[in-house]
Amino acid sequence: MKLPSSVMSKVTNSTQAPFYFILTGIPGFEASHIWISIPFCCLYTISIMGNTTILTVIRKEPSLHQPMNLFLSMLALTDLGLTLTTLPTVMQLLWFNADEIGFEACFAQLFFIHTFSFMESSVLLAMSFDRYVAICRPLHYASILTGEVIGKIGLAIICRCVLAVLPCLFLLKRLPFCRSHLLSHSYCLHQDMIRLVCADIRVNSWYGFALVLLIIVMDPLLIVLSYTFILKSILGTASWTERFRALNNCLSHVLAVLVLYVPMVGVSMTHRFAKHASPLVHVIMANIYLLAPPVMNPIIYSVKTKQIRQGIICLLSQRDMCLR
């Protein structure tokens, strides 16, 4: 696909002044960026308002200070962080055609995007452990998942994800970017930036592969393992009513897992097996991967979780009373 002349001139000049990267909007639809910004703006608004509402409801309602809802707070914070990380570059590109991002700013965005993405996976893994304890060991639920334990799990998730991404960042930053600085997306991703390096990237590739195995592959496998034990426990119960209630309690988490991992697998498959596909395909898949979880998770939990839904209704009704 032919790039606009303004972008081509920046690509040419970037080899002489490699202090910024050039972002790409929606390939082939540059003239319609203002109109395309409307659905993006709506999705970002839904994500910010939805996750903020979830956090406010859980914080204000003491009855919601339970392990599962505390993990849900972590998930909402992660989604909010992911949204606020990509929002500035996406919207400034669509609204103002500002397609340049500084060298250091690009690396900072890369760090936060991948950290929050890994945190999303880690929190969902922690939530699967919560569901396992609640269903398979209900009598020990309160003693196992205490506030102190949940705090340690949250700290471990942060340390795990930050320490996983930092070496990747340093390994990439030491390499020379002597090719075109044109990125394929409206934000900075490691798999996108690594293509612009003109040096030996074997260490980066092996580390990235290890990271994929330890997080992207290991987390869903452990989640599947936890649900294997959960299903075994559920099928061992005598009553169909108890089975339905247990499965319904897990439904929100299962949907959240699918919302994260289905687009994640789609992006990985696209980058590996559809390298010569239209740039539009890569852009759409990447946007779905980064926008779907922050947008869908608040909707899923507000619809499927009765306590959260009642808390939101109560919060809105109190706000209406204040307005009156």
Side-chain angles (χ1 to χ4, degrees), residues 78 110-125 153-169 207 211 214-216 219:
T78 302
L110 178 152
F111 170 76
F112 285 112
I113 287 178
H114 289 287
T115 299
F116 283 124
S117 296
F118 290 159
M119 284 179 66
E120 182 105 12
S121 178
S122 301
V123 172
L124 289 176
L125 176 59
I153 291 175
L155 183 61
I157 289 173
I158 295 173
C159 292
R160 179 201 191 201
C161 299
V162 170
L163 293 177
V165 177
L166 276 178
C168 190
L169 189 71
Y207 183 79
L211 213 56
L214 289 174
I215 296 181
I216 306 303
D219 285 3

Side-chain angles (χ1 to χ4, degrees), residues 10-71:
K10 289 179 181 179
V11 171
T12 305
N13 293 333
S14 66
T15 59
Q16 300 173 354
F19 301 110
Y20 61 86
F21 289 96
I22 303 168
L23 303 171
T24 299
I26 310 299
F29 296 89
E30 288 82 6
S32 305
H33 273 177
I34 290 295
W35 295 106
I36 294 173
S37 70
I38 296 175
F40 272 90
C41 188
C42 292
L43 291 173
Y44 277 120
T45 302
I46 292 171
S47 174
I48 293 172
M49 291 184 64
N51 287 294
T52 303
T53 301
I54 294 285
L55 289 169
T56 303
V57 167
I58 293 175
R59 183 178 65 85
K60 286 192 172 183
E61 183 54 54
S63 63
L64 293 177
H65 296 175
Q66 300 169 0
M68 185 60 182
N69 293 323
L70 295 178
F71 285 125

